[in-house]
């Protein structure tokens, strides 16, 4: 008597392991974090000594508006990493003093990263039995961002902190005499206030591009 054909049976363990896979593209996310951390470390390696930034003997009132503008431009070029760090510190203090706004921003950022940017294209979002397409998810994220930034206190906190930080930087740049600074006249033209973040931004775009392009 011929033996009955063996029926394919899925292993519960393999099914459980497939269901336990993360809903995001883990390699892309790890590559993004790695590139971002390397770019930030490279940027902070160009930071000037803080004692040089607050040297009291180098402060003097500018004689004219044009001289103040020239000082700001030169100090921006020399202390750009320190200024960005100062701005980030002001933003961080403002958000830490408003824990709800910080939580909302972190939640919004996490939603963008894990629901759209780094989510694998073959991992649909299902809520209450309804499957959401990539365009629907993108629309919900855009609407949520607009609501959070423009219709809550988060936007006003960010704008206020940014204005305070820029005011501090501008006052320091105008009153800090740059004559004792070693300014390289051959510095590339694309080196500026936020230049050290360019590597991080390009790395983030390169890491996120494949995941986003697959949805277009």
């Amino acid at each position: 008597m011929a033996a009955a054909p063996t029926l394919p049976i899925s292993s519960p363990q393999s099914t459980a392991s497939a269901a336990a896979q993360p809903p995001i593209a883990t390699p892309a996310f790890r590559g993004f974090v790695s590139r971002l951390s390397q770019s930030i470390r490279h940027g902070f390696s160009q930071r000037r000594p803080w004692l040089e930034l607050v040297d009291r003997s180098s402060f003097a009132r500018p004689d004219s508006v044009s001289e103040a503008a020239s000082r700001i431009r030169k100090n921006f070029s020399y202390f750009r990493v320190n200024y960005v760090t100062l701005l980030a510190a002001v933003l961080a203090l403002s958000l830490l003093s408003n824990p709800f706004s910080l939580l909302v921003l972190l939640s919004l950022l996490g939603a963008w990263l894990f629901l759209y940017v780094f989510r694998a294209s073959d991992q649909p979002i299902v809520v209450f039995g309804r499957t959401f397409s990539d365009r629907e998810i993108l629309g919900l994220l855009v609407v949520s961002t607009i609501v959070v930034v423009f219709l809550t206190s988060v936007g006003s906190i960010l704008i206020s902190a940014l204005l305070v930080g820029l005011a501090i930087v501008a006052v320091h740049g105008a009153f800090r005499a740059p004559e004792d600074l070693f300014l390289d006249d051959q510095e590339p033209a694309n080196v500026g206030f936020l230049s050290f973040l360019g590597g991080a931004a390009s790395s983030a775009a390169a890491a996120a591009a494949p995941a986003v392009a697959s949805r277009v």
Side-chain angles (χ1 to χ4, degrees), residues 18-95:
Q21 291 180 352
I24 62 172
T26 304
F29 182 71
R30 290 179 178 176
F32 164 76
V33 174
S34 176
R35 293 178 183 179
L36 183 63
S37 61
Q38 290 177 3
S39 299
I40 292 176
R41 284 197 300 268
H42 174 70
F44 277 106
S45 66
Q46 303 175 9
R47 184 183 67 248
R48 306 298 182 179
W50 289 103
L51 292 178
E52 188 176 2
L53 184 77
V54 296
D55 184 10
R56 296 179 58 182
S57 61
S58 300
F59 285 89
R61 189 175 66 178
D63 296 331
S64 62
V65 176
S66 60
E67 182 182 357
S70 176
R71 287 184 179 184
I72 292 174
R73 185 177 65 254
K74 293 179 180 180
N75 284 317
F76 273 2
S77 177
Y78 189 79
F79 292 113
R80 58 185 179 274
V81 178
N82 302 76
Y83 285 156
V84 172
T85 305
L86 180 60
L87 279 175
V90 173
L91 287 172
L93 289 176
S94 299
L95 291 174

Side-chain angles (χ1 to χ4, degrees), residues 125-206:
I125 300 296
V126 181
V127 179
F128 297 114
R130 186 184 187 283
T131 302
F132 289 84
S133 65
D134 291 329
R135 290 187 178 181
E136 291 174 331
I137 295 173
L138 178 60
L140 289 174
L141 289 174
V142 170
V143 171
S144 300
T145 303
I146 294 175
V147 170
V148 167
V149 174
F150 295 102
L151 300 181
T152 66
S153 61
V154 175
S156 61
I157 291 173
L158 291 177
I159 294 174
S160 301
L162 185 61
L163 290 177
V164 170
L166 289 176
I168 295 174
V169 169
V171 170
H172 178 274
F175 282 84
R176 210 288 186 187
E179 283 76 12
D180 61 329
L181 303 181
F182 178 75
L183 299 176
D184 188 2
D185 294 335
Q186 303 299 323
E187 192 175 12
N190 61 347
V191 175
F193 183 45
L194 296 176
S195 61
F196 88 101
L197 293 178
S202 60
S203 299

